[in-house]
Amino acid sequence: MTVTTLTPTAMLPADWRDFFALTKPRVMRSVVFTALCGMLAAPVQLPFVLGFTAILCIAMAAGAAGALNQWYESDIDSLMKRTAKRPLPAGKMERETALQFGVGLGVFSVLLMGMAIGLLAATLLAASILFYVLVYTVGLKRRTPQNIVIGGAAGAFPPLIGWVAATGSISTLPLLMFAIIFLWTPPHSWALALLIRDDYAKGGVPMLPVVASARTTRWQMLFYAVLMAAAAVSPWPLGLAGATYGIVAAATSAIFLGLTAWVVVQRAATPAEMKAERFLFVYSIGYILAIFATLAIDRLTA
C-alpha cells in the first residue's frame, strides 16, 4: 500500500512587484490626484520640494492602508475571483511580511509629514490610515451593508490633507471637496458591487446588493448621487470657485444623475445585462477626475 503525504505549498519568493501590488496602485493614483488637486486649489502654494514631499507622504500612507487592508482580508481575498491573485492569497509572501510593510510604511509617512509639513497635516494623515484600516476594514466591511457609506470617508481625506499641507488650516472649500468624494463613493462603489455581487457573496462581504435587492441598491445610489451633485456645484454659488468650474460641475453632475436614473429604471438581474451600471461605473471615475481637475485649474487661474 502506498501512502501519499501532503505537504503545504511552498511559499513563493516575493519581489518588488508583490510589494507594489500590496499598495493598491490604482487606488493610490486616485488618492494622489485628489490630494494634488486639493493642494493646488489652496490659496497658498508650497515650494516644489515641500509639495512633492507632502504628496509622497500621502501616497505612502495610501499604500500602507492598502497593505494593511490586504493583510487583514487575505482570507476573503482568496475566495473572490477579482482578488484571488493578490500577493497574499496567491501565496507570494507571508502575512507577517505584509503587516510589517504596512505598519512601517504608514509610520514613516506620518513622521515625514510631521517633520516636513506640520502637525495638523500629519494628524489627518494618521487619521486617514487608521480610519481605513480600523473603522472600515476591521469594523465595518464584514458587519454592515453601510460599510462603503461610512467607510467612504477614508477616501475623502486626500484633498483635505493636500489643502492643509499647503495652508496649515481647514476651511469651507476643502470640507466640500471631502463631501464630494464621500457622497460620490456609494453610487460609484454600488455600481461595481451590482456587477460583481456574486463575488462579494462568495467572500461573505455584506455589500448592499448582497443583502438587499438590486432595486433598493439602485434607489440608494440615486439618493447619494443627488447629494453629491449638490455638493459638487455648491462651490460656485458660495463664491469659492468661478463660472468655469460651476458650468463643468453642473453639466457633468447632470450627466451623472441622468445615468443613475437610467440605472434606477433598469430591471437587469445578471451582470451581463447591466449595461447601465457598467456605464455609470466607468463614467463615475472620469467624473471625479474632471471635477477635481477643473476646480484646481479654476482656482489657479482665478
Side-chain angles (χ1 to χ4, degrees):
M1 178 179 179
T2 303
V3 178
T4 303
T5 303
L6 298 178
T7 58
T9 303
M11 184 70 64
L12 298 174
D15 62 21
W16 69 269
R17 288 177 290 257
D18 298 312
F19 285 97
F20 185 58
L22 276 182
T23 65
K24 295 189 174 181
R26 290 184 180 178
V27 175
M28 187 193 295
R29 286 198 296 268
S30 297
V31 166
V32 168
F33 180 80
T34 55
L36 180 61
C37 289
M39 184 181 294
L40 294 176
V44 179
Q45 297 303 309
L46 283 173
F48 176 80
V49 173
L50 289 181
F52 178 82
T53 301
I55 294 298
L56 178 63
C57 290
I58 293 169
M60 289 191 295
L68 292 171
N69 171 269
Q70 291 188 57
W71 162 74
Y72 187 79
E73 293 187 347
S74 60
D75 56 338
I76 62 175
D77 280 350
S78 65
L79 300 174
M80 298 192 295
K81 182 179 179 181
R82 73 185 187 92
T83 56
K85 293 183 179 180
R86 286 176 174 175
L88 293 178
K92 294 182 178 179
M93 70 170 64
E94 300 277 357
R95 290 187 74 245
E96 292 75 10
T97 301
L99 175 61
Q100 293 164 5
F101 175 70
V103 170
L105 192 61
V107 170
F108 178 73
S109 68
V110 172
L111 290 177
L112 181 58
M113 181 72 92
M115 292 186 293
I117 305 300
L119 179 60
L120 181 56
T123 300
L124 288 173
L125 192 66
S128 70
I129 298 172
L130 294 174
F131 193 95
Y132 184 75
V133 176
L134 298 181
V135 177
Y136 171 65
T137 302
V138 177
L140 298 173
K141 190 168 182 179
R142 304 189 194 209
R143 291 178 171 84
T144 171
Q146 295 301 305
N147 48 20
I148 205 66
V149 177
I150 304 168
F157 272 102
L160 179 61
I161 299 171
W163 178 287
V164 169
T167 65
S169 62
I170 299 174
S171 59
T172 303
L173 184 56
L175 290 176
L176 284 174
M177 297 171 80
F178 180 99
I180 292 168
I181 297 179
F182 178 75
L183 296 168
W184 165 86
T185 301
H188 165 75
S189 300
W190 286 334
L192 176 63
L194 283 165
L195 294 169
I196 58 172
R197 177 193 175 280
D198 292 344
D199 218 19
Y200 279 123
K202 187 183 298 183
V205 181
M207 294 294 285
L208 187 60
V210 175
V211 301
S213 67
R215 182 173 176 78
T216 297
T217 302
R218 289 165 176 145
W219 277 106
Q220 286 284 317
M221 289 166 64
L222 183 59
F223 172 76
Y224 284 102
V226 170
L227 296 179
M228 176 210 70
V233 175
S234 62
W236 184 19
L238 290 175
L240 301 173
T244 299
Y245 170 77
I247 293 170
V248 171
T252 55
S253 296
I255 295 172
F256 197 113
L257 288 175
L259 291 174
T260 311
W262 182 28
V263 168
V264 169
V265 300
Q266 297 302 301
R267 296 293 182 268
T270 65
E273 299 171 314
M274 294 180 181
K275 294 180 181 179
E277 288 82 353
R278 195 178 306 277
F279 206 106
L280 176 62
F281 175 72
V282 173
Y283 178 81
S284 68
I285 297 172
Y287 169 83
I288 203 69
L289 297 179
I291 287 288
F292 277 83
T294 305
L295 181 58
I297 293 170
D298 182 84
R299 296 274 298 184
L300 283 170
T301 56

